[in-house]
Amino acid sequence: QVARRREREGDVGAAKELRRIAEAPGAWRARGLLAADVLAAGDVPAALAHFAEALQHAGTPVPGELLADVGGHLGQAGRRRDV
């Protein structure tokens, strides 16, 4: 869904689709992708909030994929202290 919307509407459309999907309960993957996009755009506070929401909705135990994604994205952005 996100890829199709990106093809039709570009990055703005893809971000809207991710936000729509992220509203669903348990949609930690969409929240993590949204956080990564927001972080890449330079909005660190919003990215941290989205990562926190992703972690809250991931359940217990938190999937290793999500932990790796959060650490990887924040590390690449020079925000290791926020991990």
Side-chain angles (χ1 to χ4, degrees):
Q1 295 171 335
V2 176
R4 282 183 283 192
R5 189 134 179 210
R6 187 180 308 272
E7 287 176 11
R8 287 192 323 261
E9 301 173 32
D11 290 340
V12 172
K16 286 180 183 178
E17 186 66 17
L18 275 175
R19 283 187 182 93
R20 185 191 69 74
I21 295 168
E23 291 175 8
W28 60 265
R29 192 175 316 255
R31 286 181 173 91
L33 291 171
L34 182 58
D37 284 352
V38 170
L39 183 62
D43 190 346
V44 174
L48 293 175
H50 287 302
F51 280 135
E53 288 176 7
L55 291 165
Q56 287 175 336
H57 290 273
T60 304
V62 175
E65 177 185 351
L66 177 57
L67 294 173
D69 285 349
V70 171
H73 288 295
L74 290 173
Q76 287 178 344
R79 305 292 301 194
R80 280 182 247 151
R81 68 179 179 271
D82 293 318
V83 174

